[in-house]
Amino acid sequence: MTVTATGAPAASDIILSARDLVKSYGKTTALRGVSVDIRRGEILAIMGPSGSGKSTLLHALAGIELPDSGTVTYFGSAPADAEGQPRELTTLSDNDRTRLRREDFGFVFQFSQLVPELTALDNIAVPLLLGGTKKRAAYATAYRWLERVGLADHAKALPGEMSGGEAQRIAIARALCPHPSILFADEPTGSLDSLNSEYVMSGLVHLAREHAMTVVLVTHEPTIAAYADREIIVRDGILEA
Ligand code: ADP
């Protein structure tokens, strides 16, 4: 990482920058002015009590939901991004924002949301096939990711035949195999017991570091946040100093 004279990260090290995010749902104000910079390659944990605004912040950072005000700027998959220009998520058209999310971002949620009718291998291959990768190459890549999450022997298993931890590892393989520049994970181990949580998190962190991906992780569990490089805490819609 480049460090400026002030000790702050250089601008080129920032991959995503949010400024003054405000978001309300009716009378509930979920975010009251949140600003955060996310550095390339870091694993950032967003912590805080239930209902404090963590998921809303993750959704705003990932362009899933638009804030009422404030900005989210994405600086691209590399410091010298091919398109060159930072993109302001809140001013992109819905189509452009959807395409950016699909091409550059990966997602893992609390429940794996695998397609129940498809095998583990098919589930991993789907995003590659949708992204235009040819069938043979997509399945070869999907199989490598199945191996990386230690489930090569589950290639033909349906989600209903797997444990929660196994399904979550498939979901992680599915999210990581298109090489997103940022992985957004919302309580990725929230449905698992502590042993499976440790296993899933250590795998996720290991793979993200190996592939130089940035991870933004929502959790209320200190043991899960311990895997991150840095923590921010949201309380009542603002970041704790
Ligand atoms: P956390 O992830 O920390 O549990 P959330 O970001 O999910 O918190 O929620 C923050 C606040 O916003 C809560 O009061 C929640 O009830 C409210 N909220 C979140 N999403 C919605 C929604 N879609 N509709 C109405 N209220 C919502």
Side-chain angles (χ1 to χ4, degrees):
M1 177 169 68
T2 317
V3 176
T4 60
T6 60
S12 63
D13 287 329
I14 306 291
I15 190 164
L16 199 64
S17 179
R19 286 288 166 275
D20 305 320
L21 297 180
V22 173
K23 175 79 183 177
S24 295
Y25 298 101
K27 287 186 182 153
T28 306
T29 304
L31 297 177
R32 303 168 188 272
V34 173
S35 298
V36 60
D37 286 332
I38 297 165
R39 297 171 202 143
R40 287 182 197 286
E42 82 169 328
I43 298 179
L44 175 75
I46 302 174
M47 293 203 61
S50 180
S52 60
K54 302 183 295 297
S55 294
T56 305
L57 176 58
L58 182 109
H59 291 170
L61 291 172
I64 295 174
E65 275 193 80
L66 290 177
D68 301 332
S69 63
T71 59
V72 178
T73 310
Y74 174 54
F75 290 92
S77 54
D81 190 37
E83 295 184 36
Q85 294 301 315
R87 273 159 287 170
E88 166 51 57
L89 265 54
T90 44
T91 58
L92 290 180
S93 68
D94 284 352
N95 279 348
D96 287 348
R97 201 171 45 251
T98 302
R99 178 156 9 99
L100 186 144
R101 258 200 329 262
R102 202 176 54 221
E103 292 177 355
D104 284 37
F105 297 167
F107 296 92
V108 179
F109 296 103
Q110 179 171 1
F111 298 99
S112 55
Q113 296 177 323
L114 299 175
V115 181
E117 297 83 9
L118 296 182
T119 66
L121 186 63
D122 288 336
N123 265 286
I124 300 172
V126 162
L128 296 173
L129 294 166
L130 290 177
T133 307
K134 293 274 189 301
K135 197 169 172 185
R136 183 192 283 260
Y139 275 90
T141 304
Y143 190 77
R144 277 202 301 281
W145 279 94
L146 197 59
E147 289 178 321
R148 284 183 185 140
V149 294
L151 291 172
D153 55 342
H154 283 57
K156 292 188 176 155
L158 294 170
E161 298 165 341
M162 292 185 271
S163 71
E166 287 165 350
Q168 210 54 338
R169 282 150 62 198
I170 298 295
I172 288 168
R174 178 182 59 178
L176 294 183
C177 79
H179 276 264
S181 56
I182 310 181
L183 177 76
F184 293 93
D186 194 351
E187 300 276 7
T189 60
S191 61
L192 306 177
D193 61 41
S194 58
L195 196 66
N196 269 303
S197 295
E198 298 263 323
Y199 193 50
V200 164
M201 275 311 297
S202 56
L204 192 161
V205 166
H206 172 78
L207 290 168
R209 289 203 201 285
E210 192 175 72
H211 296 272
M213 289 174 202
T214 305
V215 179
V216 181
L217 165 75
V218 162
T219 184
H220 62 272
E221 295 276 357
T223 51
I224 298 304
Y227 286 93
D229 299 313
R230 186 162 69 102
E231 285 175 23
I232 55 174
I233 299 172
V234 188
R235 230 178 260 284
D236 289 332
I238 51 172
L239 288 195
E240 211 173 75

Short mmCIF file of all heavy atoms in Angstrom, two decimals, residues 128-182:
data_model
loop_
_atom_site.label_atom_id
_atom_site.label_comp_id
_atom_site.label_asym_id
_atom_site.label_seq_id
_atom_site.Cartn_x
_atom_site.Cartn_y
_atom_site.Cartn_z
N LEU A 128 -20.75 -17.63 -14.32
CA LEU A 128 -19.78 -17.59 -15.42
C LEU A 128 -20.51 -17.74 -16.75
O LEU A 128 -20.25 -17.02 -17.71
CB LEU A 128 -18.76 -18.72 -15.26
CG LEU A 128 -17.86 -18.65 -14.03
CD1 LEU A 128 -17.01 -19.91 -13.92
CD2 LEU A 128 -16.97 -17.42 -14.08
N LEU A 129 -21.47 -18.67 -16.80
CA LEU A 129 -22.23 -18.89 -18.04
C LEU A 129 -23.03 -17.63 -18.39
O LEU A 129 -23.06 -17.20 -19.54
CB LEU A 129 -23.16 -20.10 -17.88
CG LEU A 129 -22.45 -21.45 -17.71
CD1 LEU A 129 -23.43 -22.52 -17.23
CD2 LEU A 129 -21.79 -21.88 -19.02
N LEU A 130 -23.64 -17.02 -17.35
CA LEU A 130 -24.41 -15.79 -17.59
C LEU A 130 -23.51 -14.65 -18.06
O LEU A 130 -23.93 -13.79 -18.82
CB LEU A 130 -25.15 -15.35 -16.32
CG LEU A 130 -26.31 -16.23 -15.87
CD1 LEU A 130 -26.90 -15.73 -14.56
CD2 LEU A 130 -27.39 -16.29 -16.95
N GLY A 131 -22.25 -14.70 -17.61
CA GLY A 131 -21.29 -13.67 -18.01
C GLY A 131 -20.68 -13.92 -19.38
O GLY A 131 -19.83 -13.18 -19.83
N GLY A 132 -21.09 -15.02 -20.04
CA GLY A 132 -20.66 -15.26 -21.41
C GLY A 132 -19.49 -16.23 -21.55
O GLY A 132 -19.02 -16.47 -22.67
N THR A 133 -19.03 -16.82 -20.43
CA THR A 133 -17.95 -17.81 -20.54
C THR A 133 -18.50 -19.06 -21.22
O THR A 133 -19.62 -19.50 -20.93
CB THR A 133 -17.42 -18.18 -19.13
OG1 THR A 133 -17.08 -16.98 -18.45
CG2 THR A 133 -16.20 -19.09 -19.19
N LYS A 134 -17.70 -19.64 -22.12
CA LYS A 134 -18.13 -20.85 -22.83
C LYS A 134 -18.27 -22.01 -21.84
O LYS A 134 -17.58 -22.07 -20.83
CB LYS A 134 -17.10 -21.22 -23.90
CG LYS A 134 -17.02 -20.22 -25.03
CD LYS A 134 -18.08 -20.55 -26.10
CE LYS A 134 -17.91 -19.74 -27.36
NZ LYS A 134 -18.00 -18.30 -27.18
N LYS A 135 -19.16 -22.94 -22.19
CA LYS A 135 -19.56 -23.98 -21.24
C LYS A 135 -18.36 -24.77 -20.68
O LYS A 135 -18.22 -24.92 -19.47
CB LYS A 135 -20.53 -24.92 -21.94
CG LYS A 135 -21.31 -25.78 -20.98
CD LYS A 135 -22.44 -26.49 -21.69
CE LYS A 135 -23.07 -27.49 -20.73
NZ LYS A 135 -24.09 -28.30 -21.37
N ARG A 136 -17.49 -25.22 -21.57
CA ARG A 136 -16.38 -26.07 -21.13
C ARG A 136 -15.47 -25.30 -20.14
O ARG A 136 -15.11 -25.81 -19.08
CB ARG A 136 -15.58 -26.54 -22.33
CG ARG A 136 -14.46 -27.48 -21.98
CD ARG A 136 -13.55 -27.66 -23.19
NE ARG A 136 -14.13 -28.55 -24.19
CZ ARG A 136 -13.79 -29.83 -24.31
NH1 ARG A 136 -12.89 -30.34 -23.52
NH2 ARG A 136 -14.33 -30.58 -25.23
N ALA A 137 -15.14 -24.06 -20.49
CA ALA A 137 -14.27 -23.24 -19.63
C ALA A 137 -14.98 -22.92 -18.31
O ALA A 137 -14.36 -22.96 -17.23
CB ALA A 137 -13.89 -21.95 -20.35
N ALA A 138 -16.28 -22.63 -18.39
CA ALA A 138 -17.03 -22.29 -17.18
C ALA A 138 -17.01 -23.47 -16.20
O ALA A 138 -16.78 -23.29 -15.00
CB ALA A 138 -18.47 -21.92 -17.54
N TYR A 139 -17.23 -24.67 -16.73
CA TYR A 139 -17.27 -25.84 -15.84
C TYR A 139 -15.89 -26.19 -15.31
O TYR A 139 -15.75 -26.64 -14.17
CB TYR A 139 -17.97 -27.02 -16.52
CG TYR A 139 -19.46 -26.91 -16.34
CD1 TYR A 139 -20.26 -26.24 -17.26
CD2 TYR A 139 -20.06 -27.43 -15.20
CE1 TYR A 139 -21.62 -26.09 -17.05
CE2 TYR A 139 -21.42 -27.29 -14.99
CZ TYR A 139 -22.20 -26.62 -15.91
OH TYR A 139 -23.54 -26.47 -15.68
N ALA A 140 -14.84 -25.96 -16.12
CA ALA A 140 -13.48 -26.22 -15.63
C ALA A 140 -13.16 -25.27 -14.47
O ALA A 140 -12.64 -25.69 -13.42
CB ALA A 140 -12.47 -26.05 -16.76
N THR A 141 -13.52 -23.99 -14.63
CA THR A 141 -13.27 -23.01 -13.56
C THR A 141 -14.12 -23.34 -12.34
O THR A 141 -13.63 -23.31 -11.20
CB THR A 141 -13.60 -21.58 -14.06
OG1 THR A 141 -12.84 -21.34 -15.23
CG2 THR A 141 -13.29 -20.54 -13.02
N ALA A 142 -15.38 -23.65 -12.58
CA ALA A 142 -16.28 -23.96 -11.46
C ALA A 142 -15.73 -25.15 -10.67
O ALA A 142 -15.75 -25.15 -9.43
CB ALA A 142 -17.69 -24.26 -11.98
N TYR A 143 -15.20 -26.13 -11.37
CA TYR A 143 -14.69 -27.31 -10.67
C TYR A 143 -13.47 -26.95 -9.83
O TYR A 143 -13.31 -27.44 -8.70
CB TYR A 143 -14.37 -28.43 -11.66
CG TYR A 143 -14.07 -29.72 -10.94
CD1 TYR A 143 -15.10 -30.49 -10.41
CD2 TYR A 143 -12.76 -30.15 -10.74
CE1 TYR A 143 -14.84 -31.65 -9.70
CE2 TYR A 143 -12.48 -31.30 -10.04
CZ TYR A 143 -13.53 -32.05 -9.52
OH TYR A 143 -13.27 -33.19 -8.81
N ARG A 144 -12.61 -26.06 -10.37
CA ARG A 144 -11.43 -25.63 -9.57
C ARG A 144 -11.89 -24.96 -8.28
O ARG A 144 -11.29 -25.14 -7.23
CB ARG A 144 -10.55 -24.67 -10.38
CG ARG A 144 -9.59 -25.38 -11.33
CD ARG A 144 -8.42 -24.49 -11.69
NE ARG A 144 -8.83 -23.25 -12.33
CZ ARG A 144 -9.19 -23.16 -13.61
NH1 ARG A 144 -9.17 -24.23 -14.39
NH2 ARG A 144 -9.55 -22.00 -14.13
N TRP A 145 -12.95 -24.15 -8.37
CA TRP A 145 -13.44 -23.48 -7.16
C TRP A 145 -14.10 -24.46 -6.20
O TRP A 145 -14.02 -24.31 -4.99
CB TRP A 145 -14.35 -22.31 -7.52
CG TRP A 145 -13.50 -21.13 -7.87
CD1 TRP A 145 -13.09 -20.77 -9.12
CD2 TRP A 145 -12.87 -20.22 -6.97
NE1 TRP A 145 -12.26 -19.68 -9.05
CE2 TRP A 145 -12.11 -19.31 -7.74
CE3 TRP A 145 -12.89 -20.06 -5.59
CZ2 TRP A 145 -11.37 -18.28 -7.17
CZ3 TRP A 145 -12.15 -19.03 -5.02
CH2 TRP A 145 -11.40 -18.16 -5.81
N LEU A 146 -14.72 -25.47 -6.77
CA LEU A 146 -15.30 -26.52 -5.91
C LEU A 146 -14.18 -27.19 -5.11
O LEU A 146 -14.31 -27.44 -3.91
CB LEU A 146 -16.00 -27.54 -6.81
CG LEU A 146 -17.01 -28.50 -6.19
CD1 LEU A 146 -18.15 -27.75 -5.54
CD2 LEU A 146 -17.55 -29.44 -7.27
N GLU A 147 -13.06 -27.42 -5.78
CA GLU A 147 -11.89 -28.00 -5.09
C GLU A 147 -11.36 -27.05 -4.03
O GLU A 147 -11.00 -27.45 -2.94
CB GLU A 147 -10.77 -28.30 -6.10
CG GLU A 147 -11.08 -29.47 -7.01
CD GLU A 147 -9.98 -29.71 -8.02
OE1 GLU A 147 -9.42 -28.72 -8.56
OE2 GLU A 147 -9.69 -30.89 -8.29
N ARG A 148 -11.30 -25.76 -4.38
CA ARG A 148 -10.73 -24.78 -3.44
C ARG A 148 -11.54 -24.69 -2.15
O ARG A 148 -10.98 -24.36 -1.10
CB ARG A 148 -10.67 -23.39 -4.09
CG ARG A 148 -9.54 -23.28 -5.06
CD ARG A 148 -9.44 -21.90 -5.64
NE ARG A 148 -8.40 -21.91 -6.65
CZ ARG A 148 -8.46 -21.30 -7.81
NH1 ARG A 148 -9.49 -20.56 -8.11
NH2 ARG A 148 -7.47 -21.39 -8.66
N VAL A 149 -12.85 -24.91 -2.23
CA VAL A 149 -13.63 -24.89 -0.98
C VAL A 149 -13.77 -26.30 -0.39
O VAL A 149 -14.55 -26.52 0.53
CB VAL A 149 -15.03 -24.21 -1.16
CG1 VAL A 149 -14.87 -22.73 -1.49
CG2 VAL A 149 -15.87 -24.92 -2.21
N GLY A 150 -12.99 -27.23 -0.92
CA GLY A 150 -12.90 -28.57 -0.32
C GLY A 150 -14.11 -29.44 -0.56
O GLY A 150 -14.38 -30.35 0.24
N LEU A 151 -14.85 -29.19 -1.66
CA LEU A 151 -16.08 -29.96 -1.87
C LEU A 151 -16.13 -30.64 -3.23
O LEU A 151 -17.21 -30.85 -3.79
CB LEU A 151 -17.30 -29.05 -1.68
CG LEU A 151 -17.54 -28.58 -0.24
CD1 LEU A 151 -18.64 -27.53 -0.19
CD2 LEU A 151 -17.91 -29.76 0.66
N ALA A 152 -14.96 -31.02 -3.76
CA ALA A 152 -14.92 -31.66 -5.08
C ALA A 152 -15.80 -32.91 -5.12
O ALA A 152 -16.41 -33.22 -6.15
CB ALA A 152 -13.48 -32.00 -5.45
N ASP A 153 -15.91 -33.59 -3.99
CA ASP A 153 -16.73 -34.81 -3.98
C ASP A 153 -18.22 -34.50 -3.89
O ASP A 153 -19.05 -35.43 -3.85
CB ASP A 153 -16.28 -35.72 -2.81
CG ASP A 153 -16.32 -34.99 -1.48
OD1 ASP A 153 -16.36 -33.74 -1.48
OD2 ASP A 153 -16.34 -35.68 -0.44
N HIS A 154 -18.59 -33.23 -3.85
CA HIS A 154 -20.01 -32.86 -3.80
C HIS A 154 -20.50 -32.26 -5.12
O HIS A 154 -21.56 -31.63 -5.15
CB HIS A 154 -20.26 -31.83 -2.68
CG HIS A 154 -20.27 -32.43 -1.31
ND1 HIS A 154 -19.21 -33.15 -0.80
CD2 HIS A 154 -21.22 -32.42 -0.35
CE1 HIS A 154 -19.51 -33.54 0.42
NE2 HIS A 154 -20.72 -33.12 0.72
N ALA A 155 -19.73 -32.45 -6.19
CA ALA A 155 -20.05 -31.80 -7.48
C ALA A 155 -21.51 -32.04 -7.87
O ALA A 155 -22.19 -31.13 -8.35
CB ALA A 155 -19.12 -32.30 -8.57
N LYS A 156 -21.99 -33.26 -7.67
CA LYS A 156 -23.33 -33.60 -8.16
C LYS A 156 -24.41 -33.46 -7.09
O LYS A 156 -25.58 -33.80 -7.33
CB LYS A 156 -23.33 -35.02 -8.72
CG LYS A 156 -22.49 -35.11 -9.99
CD LYS A 156 -22.64 -36.45 -10.65
CE LYS A 156 -21.87 -36.46 -11.96
NZ LYS A 156 -21.47 -37.81 -12.36
N ALA A 157 -24.01 -33.01 -5.89
CA ALA A 157 -24.99 -32.90 -4.81
C ALA A 157 -25.93 -31.73 -5.06
O ALA A 157 -25.51 -30.68 -5.58
CB ALA A 157 -24.28 -32.72 -3.48
N LEU A 158 -27.19 -31.90 -4.70
CA LEU A 158 -28.14 -30.79 -4.75
C LEU A 158 -28.07 -30.04 -3.42
O LEU A 158 -27.70 -30.63 -2.39
CB LEU A 158 -29.57 -31.33 -4.96
CG LEU A 158 -29.82 -32.01 -6.31
CD1 LEU A 158 -31.18 -32.71 -6.31
CD2 LEU A 158 -29.74 -30.99 -7.45
N PRO A 159 -28.41 -28.75 -3.42
CA PRO A 159 -28.32 -27.98 -2.17
C PRO A 159 -29.04 -28.66 -1.00
O PRO A 159 -28.54 -28.64 0.13
CB PRO A 159 -28.98 -26.65 -2.54
CG PRO A 159 -28.66 -26.50 -4.00
CD PRO A 159 -28.73 -27.90 -4.56
N GLY A 160 -30.18 -29.30 -1.27
CA GLY A 160 -30.93 -29.96 -0.20
C GLY A 160 -30.21 -31.16 0.40
O GLY A 160 -30.60 -31.66 1.46
N GLU A 161 -29.19 -31.63 -0.30
CA GLU A 161 -28.43 -32.79 0.21
C GLU A 161 -27.16 -32.36 0.95
O GLU A 161 -26.36 -33.20 1.34
CB GLU A 161 -28.03 -33.69 -0.98
CG GLU A 161 -29.24 -34.26 -1.71
CD GLU A 161 -28.90 -34.85 -3.08
OE1 GLU A 161 -27.84 -34.52 -3.64
OE2 GLU A 161 -29.72 -35.63 -3.58
N MET A 162 -26.97 -31.05 1.10
CA MET A 162 -25.75 -30.56 1.75
C MET A 162 -26.08 -29.95 3.12
O MET A 162 -27.22 -29.51 3.35
CB MET A 162 -25.09 -29.49 0.87
CG MET A 162 -24.53 -30.04 -0.41
SD MET A 162 -23.65 -28.78 -1.33
CE MET A 162 -24.96 -28.10 -2.30
N SER A 163 -25.07 -29.90 4.00
CA SER A 163 -25.25 -29.21 5.28
C SER A 163 -25.23 -27.71 5.03
O SER A 163 -24.81 -27.25 3.95
CB SER A 163 -24.12 -29.59 6.24
OG SER A 163 -22.91 -28.98 5.80
N GLY A 164 -25.63 -26.93 6.04
CA GLY A 164 -25.62 -25.47 5.91
C GLY A 164 -24.22 -24.94 5.61
O GLY A 164 -24.05 -24.05 4.78
N GLY A 165 -23.22 -25.53 6.28
CA GLY A 165 -21.84 -25.07 6.07
C GLY A 165 -21.36 -25.39 4.67
O GLY A 165 -20.68 -24.58 4.03
N GLU A 166 -21.72 -26.58 4.18
CA GLU A 166 -21.32 -26.95 2.81
C GLU A 166 -21.99 -26.02 1.79
O GLU A 166 -21.34 -25.55 0.86
CB GLU A 166 -21.69 -28.41 2.54
CG GLU A 166 -20.79 -29.38 3.27
CD GLU A 166 -21.35 -30.81 3.32
OE1 GLU A 166 -22.53 -31.02 2.96
OE2 GLU A 166 -20.60 -31.70 3.76
N ALA A 167 -23.29 -25.78 1.99
CA ALA A 167 -24.01 -24.90 1.05
C ALA A 167 -23.36 -23.50 1.06
O ALA A 167 -23.22 -22.87 0.01
CB ALA A 167 -25.48 -24.81 1.45
N GLN A 168 -22.94 -23.06 2.24
CA GLN A 168 -22.34 -21.72 2.31
C GLN A 168 -20.98 -21.70 1.61
O GLN A 168 -20.60 -20.70 1.00
CB GLN A 168 -22.23 -21.29 3.79
CG GLN A 168 -22.31 -19.81 4.04
CD GLN A 168 -23.55 -19.11 3.47
OE1 GLN A 168 -24.18 -19.58 2.54
NE2 GLN A 168 -23.87 -17.96 4.01
N ARG A 169 -20.25 -22.80 1.68
CA ARG A 169 -18.96 -22.86 0.97
C ARG A 169 -19.19 -22.86 -0.55
O ARG A 169 -18.43 -22.26 -1.31
CB ARG A 169 -18.15 -24.08 1.42
CG ARG A 169 -17.49 -23.83 2.76
CD ARG A 169 -17.30 -25.06 3.59
NE ARG A 169 -16.45 -26.07 3.00
CZ ARG A 169 -16.43 -27.35 3.37
NH1 ARG A 169 -17.25 -27.77 4.34
NH2 ARG A 169 -15.61 -28.19 2.82
N ILE A 170 -20.27 -23.52 -1.00
CA ILE A 170 -20.61 -23.47 -2.43
C ILE A 170 -20.96 -22.03 -2.82
O ILE A 170 -20.55 -21.53 -3.88
CB ILE A 170 -21.81 -24.41 -2.75
CG1 ILE A 170 -21.46 -25.87 -2.44
CG2 ILE A 170 -22.27 -24.26 -4.21
CD1 ILE A 170 -20.37 -26.47 -3.29
N ALA A 171 -21.71 -21.35 -1.93
CA ALA A 171 -22.09 -19.96 -2.23
C ALA A 171 -20.84 -19.08 -2.33
O ALA A 171 -20.78 -18.16 -3.15
CB ALA A 171 -23.04 -19.44 -1.16
N ILE A 172 -19.86 -19.35 -1.50
CA ILE A 172 -18.61 -18.58 -1.55
C ILE A 172 -17.86 -18.87 -2.86
O ILE A 172 -17.38 -17.95 -3.52
CB ILE A 172 -17.74 -18.88 -0.30
CG1 ILE A 172 -18.40 -18.22 0.92
CG2 ILE A 172 -16.30 -18.40 -0.49
CD1 ILE A 172 -17.82 -18.66 2.24
N ALA A 173 -17.79 -20.14 -3.23
CA ALA A 173 -17.14 -20.49 -4.51
C ALA A 173 -17.85 -19.79 -5.67
O ALA A 173 -17.22 -19.24 -6.57
CB ALA A 173 -17.17 -22.00 -4.70
N ARG A 174 -19.19 -19.80 -5.61
CA ARG A 174 -19.98 -19.16 -6.68
C ARG A 174 -19.69 -17.65 -6.75
O ARG A 174 -19.56 -17.07 -7.82
CB ARG A 174 -21.47 -19.39 -6.42
CG ARG A 174 -22.37 -18.73 -7.44
CD ARG A 174 -23.83 -18.93 -7.13
NE ARG A 174 -24.19 -18.41 -5.80
CZ ARG A 174 -25.41 -18.43 -5.30
NH1 ARG A 174 -26.40 -18.99 -5.99
NH2 ARG A 174 -25.66 -17.93 -4.11
N ALA A 175 -19.56 -17.03 -5.57
CA ALA A 175 -19.32 -15.59 -5.54
C ALA A 175 -17.90 -15.24 -5.99
O ALA A 175 -17.70 -14.21 -6.62
CB ALA A 175 -19.57 -15.05 -4.13
N LEU A 176 -16.93 -16.09 -5.65
CA LEU A 176 -15.53 -15.75 -5.93
C LEU A 176 -15.07 -16.16 -7.32
O LEU A 176 -14.13 -15.56 -7.85
CB LEU A 176 -14.61 -16.38 -4.88
CG LEU A 176 -14.75 -15.85 -3.44
CD1 LEU A 176 -13.72 -16.50 -2.53
CD2 LEU A 176 -14.60 -14.34 -3.39
N CYS A 177 -15.70 -17.15 -7.92
CA CYS A 177 -15.13 -17.68 -9.18
C CYS A 177 -15.13 -16.68 -10.34
O CYS A 177 -14.22 -16.73 -11.16
CB CYS A 177 -15.70 -19.04 -9.55
SG CYS A 177 -17.28 -19.02 -10.30
N PRO A 178 -16.03 -15.70 -10.41
CA PRO A 178 -15.87 -14.71 -11.49
C PRO A 178 -14.83 -13.63 -11.14
O PRO A 178 -14.72 -12.64 -11.87
CB PRO A 178 -17.26 -14.08 -11.63
CG PRO A 178 -18.18 -14.91 -10.82
CD PRO A 178 -17.34 -15.54 -9.76
N HIS A 179 -14.10 -13.80 -10.02
CA HIS A 179 -13.06 -12.85 -9.59
C HIS A 179 -13.60 -11.44 -9.39
O HIS A 179 -13.14 -10.49 -10.04
CB HIS A 179 -11.89 -12.82 -10.58
CG HIS A 179 -10.92 -13.91 -10.31
ND1 HIS A 179 -9.78 -13.74 -9.57
CD2 HIS A 179 -10.96 -15.20 -10.64
CE1 HIS A 179 -9.16 -14.87 -9.45
NE2 HIS A 179 -9.86 -15.79 -10.10
N PRO A 180 -14.56 -11.26 -8.50
CA PRO A 180 -15.04 -9.90 -8.24
C PRO A 180 -13.92 -9.07 -7.62
O PRO A 180 -13.04 -9.62 -6.95
CB PRO A 180 -16.17 -10.12 -7.22
CG PRO A 180 -15.79 -11.39 -6.51
CD PRO A 180 -15.14 -12.24 -7.56
N SER A 181 -13.93 -7.76 -7.86
CA SER A 181 -12.90 -6.96 -7.20
C SER A 181 -13.30 -6.69 -5.75
O SER A 181 -12.45 -6.47 -4.91
CB SER A 181 -12.63 -5.67 -7.96
OG SER A 181 -13.81 -4.95 -8.11
N ILE A 182 -14.61 -6.69 -5.48
CA ILE A 182 -15.06 -6.56 -4.08
C ILE A 182 -16.09 -7.65 -3.79
O ILE A 182 -17.04 -7.83 -4.55
CB ILE A 182 -15.73 -5.20 -3.78
CG1 ILE A 182 -14.86 -4.03 -4.28
CG2 ILE A 182 -16.01 -5.06 -2.29
CD1 ILE A 182 -15.46 -2.66 -4.01
#
